[in-house]
Amino acid sequence: MTLPHDPHPTDTTPEPTLEPTPAKAAPAPARAGRSAPVSQRAAGSGRVPGRSPQGAEHSAASLSDAPSRSASEETPRRPPGPGTPAAQGPTTPAQGPGPAAPRTPRRRKAVLLTAALVAALVVLALVSAGTGAYRIPLGDVLASVQHRAGLGGAPLDRVGESVLWNVRLPRVVLALLVGASLGCAGALMQGVFGNPLAEPGVIGISAGAAVGAVAAIGLGLSFFGNWTITVCAFVAGLITVSAVYLLSRNGGKTEVVTLILTGIAVNAFAGALIGLFVFFADSGQVNQITFWQLGSLAQATWPKVLAVLPCALAGLLVAPFYARRLDLLALGERPARHLGIDVERLRLALVLVVALLTAAAVAVAGVITFVGLLVPHLLRMANGPGHRFLVPGSALAGAVVLVAGDLAARTIAQPAELPLGVLTALIGSPFFFWLLRRTRRKQGGWA
């Protein structure tokens, strides 16, 4: 009887707090009612001794996978609303657009870059074929090419046909092959050594291959006929790249400073050997050796194109098949081995391909530097470091750069002609200096 007459504040305060409690707990029976069949099935499966471990395993697996699934699906499901149930968004559609979203723009950019490079190469080849001391209009070039291909058109006059098909087009095709070989070799070298400063000319491979070609000229070797200079350049380039590879590795890694210093030493030694051959050569051989030192396409002929074509095509066709393994090698030697890559065999195969491409270029054009350094960097800045586009794209871009460089070498100082190797060195040296400073700044110094 004292309870109705007791005005204690503790009796009044819990009443408002107790009233909303059933209201908040009201949806709970509804949820419990929905989940009742699940609990009944769980209880029913618990009575069967053969099914209870499986049910426990499934429930444990669902509970253990729940945080990972919710963490991965939280971001794509947040825009529709916080109240969307988990059953509305399956895991497969939510995870499908995730990896494909960043790849699609890069693939589109790669396709656009490839189309732009092919178009630029075709335009530059046609312009280069018609430009020179004897000018040939672009329409006449197309008409002569169509006539030779049996697609209509009309031939030029006797002088025009001779200039176009015996002087200009062999030079354009040779520039295309040499540029593609040097660009592809540069991309492979940077992937093999694992740093962006590797290039056949910078680390001495071009100079070593030139020593082989100069030795064949100075000693009058002809045991392989038209292939003698190419074989000698290939053997010398292989020896050089092997020496650079062995000397630049320290503790299982290739150091940038050691790589550059090794290239400086190899270039100096190769220059001394070339000077020695010049000292003992006659006047005709001196002119040929000077051609190899400066680099030029002035002596381009169809027999030289046919002599270098098998080596260049073999290297260019084999190189893209190593793109995926180069991507795995970029993760590091240890992760690449765990993924099933034989690192030493891969590097040995790529060293052979680089030596083949470099020997093919040096055997017909002499020493042309910085193409293999500049071209892969520009493509890497444009579309990322993936080798599936970088290796064939470097071949295309190298061809574009060398066709344009040869056109500039023939037209800048008319009627004289600048050596192509000198022109590429004048353009590539400042780029290499900027690249050194950029790499040093990113790494915080060489020490």
Side-chain angles (χ1 to χ4, degrees):
M1 297 300 293
T2 57
L3 291 175
H5 299 284
D6 192 4
H8 198 274
T10 57
D11 296 332
T12 58
T13 50
E15 289 180 358
T17 58
L18 289 174
E19 288 177 359
T21 306
K24 291 179 181 178
R31 295 193 190 102
R34 295 189 195 104
S35 60
V38 179
S39 61
Q40 289 175 3
R41 286 194 298 268
S45 62
R47 294 189 187 98
V48 181
R51 293 183 180 178
S52 56
Q54 297 177 356
E57 288 175 0
H58 287 301
S59 60
S62 61
L63 289 174
S64 62
D65 293 338
S68 60
R69 287 199 298 264
S70 62
S72 61
E73 295 170 7
E74 182 179 0
T75 303
R77 291 183 187 175
R78 192 170 291 173
T84 56
Q88 286 183 354
T91 58
T92 304
Q95 293 176 357
R103 291 180 184 175
T104 304
R106 184 167 293 179
R107 288 178 180 175
R108 291 176 182 174
K109 188 181 292 185
V111 171
L112 292 177
L113 284 173
T114 303
L117 288 174
V118 171
L121 183 60
V122 171
V123 171
L124 282 172
L126 293 175
V127 171
S128 180
T131 304
Y134 186 87
R135 297 191 63 86
I136 304 175
L138 183 60
D140 294 343
V141 173
L142 291 174
S144 179
V145 172
Q146 290 177 357
H147 177 71
R148 290 293 183 101
L151 301 176
L156 304 176
D157 56 358
R158 184 176 60 84
V159 177
E161 284 284 313
S162 177
V163 169
L164 178 62
W165 289 96
N166 297 328
V167 178
R168 300 276 175 79
L169 285 181
R171 188 161 183 164
V172 170
V173 175
L174 199 61
L176 190 150
L177 290 175
V178 171
S181 300
L182 292 177
C184 185
L188 293 178
M189 285 292 298
Q190 293 175 9
V192 168
F193 283 96
N195 64 75
L197 300 177
E199 195 260 344
V202 173
I203 62 177
I205 299 177
S206 297
V211 169
V214 168
I217 295 173
L219 298 176
L221 302 179
S222 59
F223 46 84
F224 284 114
N226 293 332
W227 295 84
T228 303
I229 297 177
T230 304
V231 171
C232 292
F234 172 73
V235 173
L238 181 60
I239 294 173
T240 305
V241 74
S242 302
V244 170
Y245 173 72
L246 294 175
L247 293 175
S248 60
R249 287 180 64 82
N250 184 17
K253 297 186 300 182
T254 304
E255 297 179 352
V256 176
V257 177
T258 309
L259 185 71
I260 296 174
L261 294 177
T262 304
I264 292 173
V266 170
N267 281 320
F269 185 71
L273 290 178
I274 292 174
L276 190 63
F277 282 111
V278 169
F279 179 76
F280 289 105
D282 55 17
S283 59
Q285 292 174 345
V286 167
N287 292 332
Q288 289 183 341
I289 292 173
T290 304
F291 161 77
W292 294 107
Q293 285 181 301
L294 299 179
S296 176
L297 298 174
Q299 300 180 7
T301 57
W302 286 118
K304 287 190 175 182
V305 172
L306 294 178
V308 76
L309 186 63
C311 297
L313 282 183
L316 292 174
L317 291 176
V318 169
F321 291 99
Y322 291 95
R324 179 179 173 274
R325 279 172 275 187
L326 282 174
D327 288 336
L328 296 178
L329 185 61
L331 301 174
E333 292 189 11
R334 201 172 283 178
R337 288 192 182 97
H338 286 303
L339 292 172
I341 302 298
D342 191 346
V343 176
E344 295 303 324
R345 182 178 296 178
L346 173 63
R347 281 185 168 147
L348 181 60
L350 290 177
V351 160
L352 292 174
V353 174
V354 168
L356 184 65
L357 291 171
T358 307
V362 172
V364 295
V367 179
I368 299 176
T369 56
F370 292 106
V371 175
L373 176 69
L374 186 144
V375 167
H377 266 282
L378 295 178
L379 292 182
R380 199 177 286 111
M381 292 177 184
N383 196 57
H387 288 86
R388 292 187 179 182
F389 168 75
L390 187 62
V391 172
S394 296
L396 272 177
V400 170
V401 168
L402 211 63
V403 170
D406 182 60
L407 178 61
R410 291 191 291 111
T411 56
I412 286 178
Q414 283 183 341
E417 180 178 329
L418 292 176
L420 184 57
V422 174
L423 186 62
T424 56
L426 286 174
I427 298 174
S429 297
F431 181 82
F432 181 66
F433 177 72
W434 169 80
L435 183 62
L436 277 175
R437 291 183 61 86
R438 178 173 176 267
T439 307
R440 184 175 182 272
R441 187 170 56 250
K442 279 188 173 183
Q443 294 182 356
W446 300 118

